[in-house]
Amino acid sequence: MCGIVGMTGERGAAGSVYERLKLLEYRGYDSAGVASLDGGKFFVSKRRGRVYSLGGEIKHLHGHTAIGHTRWATHGKPCDENAHPHVLGKFAIVHNGIIENYAELQEKYFKGVQFNSETDSEVAVRLLNYFYDKDPLTAVKKTVDEIAGSYALVVMCADFDGIIVAKNKNPVIIGYGNGVNYCASDAPALAGLCDDISVLSDGDIAVLTDKKIEVYDGNLEPVMREKLKNPALCAELDLGSCPHYMLKEINEVPTSITKTCQAFICTYDNIKSYLSGIKRIIITGCGTAYNSGLIGKRYFESFARVPVEVETAGEFRYKNPVIDKKTAVIAISQSGETADTVEAAKLVKSLGGKVIAVTNSPYSELTRVADAVVPVEAGQEICVAATKSYTGQIAALYLLALTLCGGDVEAGAKKLVAASELCFQLIQRLDICTLADACARSDGVFFLGRDLDCAVATEGSLKLKEISYIPSEGYPAGELKHGTLALIDIRTVSVVIITDEYLAPKSLNAVEQILSRKGKVAVVTNIKDVTKKLDGKVNIIEIPDCDKYLSPLLSAVVVQLLAYKTSLLLGRDPDKPRNLAKSVTVE
Ligand code: M6R
C-alpha cells in the first residue's frame, strides 16, 4: 500500500529509484514520483498514473540521493498535485500510511495556510520545516512525535546529503550497500542491490548516508537492528515468457505447495510444541487469506475435532474476543503486513493469547508479533490477486491440522506433493476459454459449492470480481433457493464446484434449479457420475481425481485461470486491478 524507495550514494540515484519503484507497483499505482537532491537543490518529477509515465523526465533529476513513491490513494484523489514526493522549503518527503490527526495539526500549526494538495501527508513536510533548526534529525523526531497514525516516512533535507527514515505501523526496510545505502517498503525493490537488510521497528528513525546507516529508537537512543539476508531474488521478479505475473504465479502453484511442505517438515518440531494443549482455534485474515482459513477450519475440525471459528481480521479485532490459554489464533497473511491482521494478532497477544502466523513473508510485522510461524513458501507474489499464496496457505493449514491431531505429517506431505503434480498437469491442459467467454459476456457470475467446494467458490468469486470487475457472489449451493435464485436468468453464469461424492446429489439439485431458470451453468468436477449425468447439458470442466481434502487445490487452479482469462477478454490488466493494491497496510 504505497511503495517507497530511497537511496543515497549512487550517481544518477533518481534513475535507479525510478527502476526500483517499478518493482513496487503492486503496492499502488494511482500516481508516481521521484525527487533527487543535488547541491542543496531538489529536482522533482511526479504525476498521476504509473511509474513509467515519469520516464522522460528522470534524466533531469540530478544528484546521488533520491527518493520515490508509487501511490495507492487514501486521502485525496489520484492526481498530479496529490502525487508524492511533497517538496516544500528545506524538505522533500514520501509517505506511506495515514496521518489520522492531519486536520488537527493543520488547525494547530497552519491555520489559514493554503495547502498545495489534498493529502494528509503534506502536513508532515510542513511540520518538518516548522520544526527545522539546522538539525534535520531533530526536525524529523519532533514531526513524528506530533503525528497520530501510521507512517513509513522518508525525508530528504536540502542541508543534509542523505536520507532520514521514520517508521510506525507501516513497513520499511533499510539496505546496506557498498558506498550506497537504501531504504524501501519491501525487499523486491532491493533485489540484487544489497545482500543485507534490516527491518525497522515501530518508532525507529534511521539516518542513511553513503558511508553508514545509524538507527535510533523513539528516544533517539542508538539501537542495533539485526542484519538479515535480503530474501528477494532477481530471478523471482522476472516475468520470463509469461505476459503477466498472475499467469506466472498460477504456473508456480505446484512449487508453492511442494516448497511449503518442505519448509513445514523443517519447522515441524517447533510448531508442534506450540499446538500442545490447544482446545479451540480462531482463524483470522483478510480476503484470500480469510478464504484459505475457511478451508483450514474444515481440516482442523475433521482431523482434530477441535472447534474453529473463522473471522475476517477487520471484524475480529473490534469484537472484544474471548481468548484463553487453550485457544490458538491462527493469523494468515501472504504479506504479513495487512494492518487488520497484524492488529488482530497484537490484540490477541495483549489478551494473553497465542498467535500462530501462517505467512509468505519471513521478516514481516506479523512474524514479529506471532509466537510461532508456519512458513508458506510461495515465493514473491507480485500480482495483486493472490494465487500461489492461497494454495501454499492451504498446504500449510493441512499439515498444521495433521500436526494438531497427531497424524502422519510426512504422509500428508506426500499427498500434497502428489496433488501438486496433478495441479501441474491441470494447468498444462486446462482449456477454460469457452467459460471465460461466457463470463465476460455475462451480467454476473455465481460460484457455488458445498463444504470445501463452497470455500473455493468464495475464493473464485473474489478472484473474478477483483480482476474482471464483473459482479460476482460465492455462496453455499444449498442457499441458492433462499434468495439468490431470484438473480438467475439467461444473462448470468453459475460455476458449480462438485468434488464430494456424498454431497454431489445435493449440488446437482442446485444445477437443475439454475437450468430451469435458463441460467448458464458450468460444473467443475472430478466425479465421473456427475459428468455422465450432466453431459450435453452444461459446460463441464473436469479436474483430476484426488484426496477429497486436497481437491480444493485443483479447483482453485480452475477458478484462478478462469478469472485470469476473463480479465484478459475484457481488456483489463489482471496484475493491477483498479482501486486495489497488494499489501493493505492501512485500515
Ligand atoms: O497479504 P495478505 O494475505 O494479508 O492480504 C490479504 C488480502 O488483502 C488479499 O488476500 C486480497 O484479498 C487479494 N488481493 C485477493 O486476491
Side-chain angles (χ1 to χ4, degrees), residues 236 242 244-254 380-388 560 575 582:
E236 284 195 339
C242 279
H244 297 101
Y245 280 110
M246 183 166 183
L247 184 60
K248 174 178 183 275
E249 289 163 7
I250 294 172
N251 287 336
E252 289 165 355
V253 159
Q380 188 72 41
E381 194 176 63
I382 304 279
C383 176
V384 167
T387 53
K388 59 178 180 170
Q560 290 170 357
D575 285 347
K582 192 150 185 76

Side-chain angles (χ1 to χ4, degrees), residues 395-414:
L397 291 166
Y398 179 81
L399 295 175
L400 197 56
L402 278 178
T403 308
L404 182 62
C405 75
D408 187 341
V409 169
E410 290 209 5
K414 278 192 186 136

Side-chain angles (χ1 to χ4, degrees), residues 286-289 332-338 341 384-386 393 459 462-463 466 580-584:
C286 299
T288 291
I332 307 173
S333 173
Q334 184 283 129
S335 63
E337 301 290 354
T338 298
T341 311
V384 167
Q393 287 160 2
E459 173 61 6
L462 173 63
K463 215 86 305 172
E466 181 180 21
L580 298 178
K582 192 150 185 76
S583 305
V584 186

Side-chain angles (χ1 to χ4, degrees), residues 218-295:
N219 300 315
L220 285 192
E221 295 294 333
V223 282
M224 297 294 289
R225 294 294 170 224
E226 189 187 354
K227 275 195 185 173
L228 306 160
K229 200 172 143 32
N230 185 357
L233 303 171
C234 293
E236 284 195 339
L237 308 174
D238 187 2
L239 265 175
S241 58
C242 279
H244 297 101
Y245 280 110
M246 183 166 183
L247 184 60
K248 174 178 183 275
E249 289 163 7
I250 294 172
N251 287 336
E252 289 165 355
V253 159
T255 329
S256 120
I257 299 168
T258 51
K259 285 197 167 173
T260 299
C261 289
Q262 288 158 7
F264 192 93
I265 301 290
C266 293
T267 47
Y268 171 75
D269 289 335
N270 188 31
I271 293 164
K272 193 171 179 218
S273 66
Y274 280 99
L275 290 177
S276 82
I278 293 303
K279 296 282 179 252
R280 173 179 167 242
I281 290 174
I282 299 171
I283 301 181
T284 194
C286 299
T288 291
Y290 167 82
N291 289 343
S292 71
L294 296 174
I295 292 185

Side-chain angles (χ1 to χ4, degrees), residues 285-488:
C286 299
T288 291
Y290 167 82
N291 289 343
S292 71
L294 296 174
I295 292 185
K297 170 182 165 75
R298 186 68 166 86
Y299 292 160
F300 287 108
E301 292 188 338
S302 301
F303 304 168
R305 305 304 296 157
V306 169
V308 181
E309 296 144 56
V310 191
E311 189 138 35
T312 60
E315 288 293 310
F316 173 78
R317 61 182 284 203
Y318 293 114
K319 281 205 169 156
N320 193 12
V322 180
I323 302 288
D324 59 33
K325 292 212 162 7
K326 293 189 171 159
T327 303
V329 174
I330 300 177
I332 307 173
S333 173
Q334 184 283 129
S335 63
E337 301 290 354
T338 298
D340 281 330
T341 311
V342 171
E343 291 304 317
K346 285 182 181 166
L347 172 71
V348 173
K349 296 290 293 177
S350 72
L351 296 171
K354 272 186 188 177
V355 174
I356 298 172
V358 175
T359 182
N360 195 32
S361 304
Y363 302 144
S364 60
E365 185 73 9
L366 187 61
T367 62
R368 288 195 289 278
V369 176
D371 297 284
V373 177
V374 176
V376 171
E377 289 287 336
Q380 188 72 41
E381 194 176 63
I382 304 279
C383 176
V384 167
T387 53
K388 59 178 180 170
S389 63
Y390 175 67
T391 47
Q393 287 160 2
I394 292 173
L397 291 166
Y398 179 81
L399 295 175
L400 197 56
L402 278 178
T403 308
L404 182 62
C405 75
D408 187 341
V409 169
E410 290 209 5
K414 278 192 186 136
K415 281 188 188 175
L416 278 164
V417 172
S420 78
E421 178 57 33
L422 296 176
C423 285
F424 176 77
Q425 290 164 14
L426 180 62
I427 293 166
Q428 303 308 306
R429 72 152 171 82
L430 188 67
D431 180 359
I432 200 91
C433 293
T434 309
L435 179 54
D437 188 58
C439 291
R441 290 164 191 272
S442 74
D443 285 355
V445 179
F446 300 99
F447 287 83
L448 289 80
R450 284 175 183 261
D451 195 9
L452 286 167
D453 294 336
C454 177
V456 181
T458 311
E459 173 61 6
S461 168
L462 173 63
K463 215 86 305 172
L464 185 81
K465 71 180 120 183
E466 181 180 21
I467 60 168
S468 74
Y469 322 146
I470 297 172
S472 176
E473 206 182 325
Y475 60 93
E479 282 292 293
L480 178 68
K481 51 198 175 295
H482 297 292
T484 311
L485 200 53
L487 299 177
I488 300 293

Side-chain angles (χ1 to χ4, degrees), residues 57 67 72 110 119 135 193 204 220 242 271 277 320 355 414 424 491 514 542 549 551 573 585:
E57 290 168 15
I67 59 178
W72 183 79
F110 309 111
T119 65
D135 176 7
L193 286 182
D204 281 357
L220 285 192
C242 279
I271 293 164
N320 193 12
V355 174
K414 278 192 186 136
F424 176 77
R491 296 186 305 275
I514 298 165
E542 283 188 275
Y549 289 103
S551 62
D573 179 347
T585 54

